[in-house]
């Protein structure tokens, strides 16, 4: 595994990340992700290609628009670095091939969902529902999951948890886990199989609780702060993807 290959994979990942930034901004607003070309929200001027190079342009411009000097969100280069790093991690995990491409699409969907959910507390169906279909297709070329486990993953992630959410709502009279979270779990089940839901939900619940409690203490009020659960589920799914074998082995002594 030579360094130039990994660099090429990283750069490709950052270019995908650059496209994900467009999706993160435009999908919740109901705008087209292909038209018009990127423009500065401050001065409305189109962004030149040389000011749109992942990571490097942000650094070269000092995080500001070349013309109007409006601050560019540090989330843009963050998404680019994150997607590049995930591409490298998947390459090391899976090697070149269809499975790599499939799980790169999965990681891209998780990154997009995470940043949209953090900002808007929604998980767009236009990502999670096609994601379920893509995940089922990927299971046929995946070394990580068998097609039957993927189908059971969709049923377990979607059906069972929909039941839990419905019961919670019926008993408590409020929505515990959103419908978007349920569809996200079905997508995770499609890409990683029903077995993955254990680690995904465990990691998401533990990390989500710790951060939720920390935020409550920090705010010194019992205000029911709406913390989206999607980013934790996405993180839990990635933990399973890269470390699930080892975690399950530790837990059940396989
Ligand atoms: Zn500008």
């Amino acid at each position: 595994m030579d360094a130039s290959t990994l660099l090429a994979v990283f750069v490709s990942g950052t270019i995908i990340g650059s496209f994900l930034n467009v999706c993160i901004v435009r999908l919740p607003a109901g705008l087209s992700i292909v038209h018009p070309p990127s423009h500065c929200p401050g001065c409305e001027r189109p962004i030149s290609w040389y000011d749109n190079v992942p990571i490097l342009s942000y650094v070269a411009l000092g995080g500001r628009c070349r013309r109007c000097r409006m601050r560019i969100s540090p989330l843009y280069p963050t998404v680019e670095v994150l997607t590049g790093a995930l591409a490298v991690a998947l390459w090391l995990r899976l090697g070149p091939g269809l499975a790599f491409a499939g799980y790169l699409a999965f990681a891209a969907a998780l990154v997009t969902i995470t940043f949209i959910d953090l900002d808007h507390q929604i998980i767009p169906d236009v990502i999670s529902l096609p994601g379920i279909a893509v995940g089922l297709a990927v299971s046929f070329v995946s070394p990580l999951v068998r097609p039957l486990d993927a189908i059971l993953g969709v049923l377990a992630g979607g059906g069972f948890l929909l039941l839990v959410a419905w019961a919670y709502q019926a008993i408590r009279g409020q929505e515990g886990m959103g419908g978007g979270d349920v569809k996200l779990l079905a997508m995770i089940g499609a890409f990683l199989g029903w077995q993955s839901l254990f680690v995904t939900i465990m990691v998401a619940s533990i990390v989500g609780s710790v951060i939720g409690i920390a935020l409550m203490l920090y705010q010194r009020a019992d205000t029911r702060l709406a913390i989206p659960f999607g980013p934790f589920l996405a993180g839990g799914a990635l933990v399973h993807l890269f470390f699930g074998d080892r975690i399950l082995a530790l837990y059940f002594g396989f």
Side-chain angles (χ1 to χ4, degrees), residues 39-45 47 64-72:
H39 56 272
C40 168
C43 60
E44 306 277 326
R45 299 275 203 97
I47 298 170
R64 288 182 182 277
C65 171
R66 181 183 293 277
R67 294 198 178 83
C68 70
R69 309 302 298 160
M70 185 185 175
R71 193 168 156 275
I72 304 165

Side-chain angles (χ1 to χ4, degrees), residues 111-164:
V111 169
T112 308
I113 284 170
T114 292
F115 285 91
I116 289 177
D117 202 13
L118 282 174
D119 212 9
H120 302 273
Q121 282 79 50
I122 52 159
I123 296 175
D125 287 352
V126 292
I127 302 173
S128 57
L129 294 182
I132 293 170
V134 173
L136 289 174
V138 168
S139 72
F140 286 90
V141 296
S142 170
L144 305 177
V145 63
R146 289 173 302 175
L148 179 63
D149 294 331
I151 293 166
L152 291 174
V154 175
L155 295 176
F160 174 70
L161 287 153
L162 196 61
L163 202 67
V164 172

Side-chain angles (χ1 to χ4, degrees), residues 5-247:
T5 306
L6 291 182
L7 182 65
V9 171
F10 178 78
V11 170
S12 307
T14 63
I15 293 167
I16 294 170
S18 183
F19 171 69
L20 300 184
N21 277 320
V22 176
C23 298
I24 289 164
V25 171
R26 295 192 187 181
L27 277 182
L31 301 172
S32 163
I33 54 173
V34 287
H35 187 83
S38 296
H39 56 272
C40 168
C43 60
E44 306 277 326
R45 299 275 203 97
I47 298 170
S48 320
W49 67 266
Y50 51 81
D51 285 341
N52 216 359
V53 179
I55 306 167
L56 300 179
S57 288
Y58 181 85
V59 175
L61 291 167
R64 288 182 182 277
C65 171
R66 181 183 293 277
R67 294 198 178 83
C68 70
R69 309 302 298 160
M70 185 185 175
R71 193 168 156 275
I72 304 165
S73 168
L75 286 180
Y76 289 96
T78 302
V79 166
E80 288 158 1
V81 170
L82 185 61
T83 313
L86 284 169
V88 170
L90 286 169
W91 186 271
L92 293 174
R93 177 96 166 86
L94 298 163
L98 279 175
F100 168 76
Y103 284 98
L104 189 55
F106 178 55
L110 293 179
V111 169
T112 308
I113 284 170
T114 292
F115 285 91
I116 289 177
D117 202 13
L118 282 174
D119 212 9
H120 302 273
Q121 282 79 50
I122 52 159
I123 296 175
D125 287 352
V126 292
I127 302 173
S128 57
L129 294 182
I132 293 170
V134 173
L136 289 174
V138 168
S139 72
F140 286 90
V141 296
S142 170
L144 305 177
V145 63
R146 289 173 302 175
L148 179 63
D149 294 331
I151 293 166
L152 291 174
V154 175
L155 295 176
F160 174 70
L161 287 153
L162 196 61
L163 202 67
V164 172
W166 176 81
Y168 187 88
Q169 197 160 7
I171 295 163
R172 297 284 303 275
Q174 61 190 20
E175 205 168 301
M177 198 162 55
D181 293 324
V182 172
K183 283 169 247 175
L184 170 58
L185 267 172
M187 182 184 96
I188 292 168
F191 275 96
L192 300 176
W194 63 271
Q195 300 90 334
S196 71
L197 298 171
F198 176 78
V199 170
T200 299
I201 294 170
M202 186 178 71
V203 169
S205 305
I206 294 171
V207 177
S209 306
V210 169
I211 291 183
I213 290 166
L215 279 177
M216 259 163 43
L217 292 176
Y218 179 71
Q219 298 208 323
R220 289 180 195 166
D222 54 355
T223 46
R224 281 185 67 88
L225 190 77
I227 307 166
F229 199 43
F232 298 110
L233 291 173
L238 290 174
V239 168
H240 176 85
L241 175 49
F242 293 111
F243 310 108
D245 301 348
R246 273 170 269 176
I247 293 172

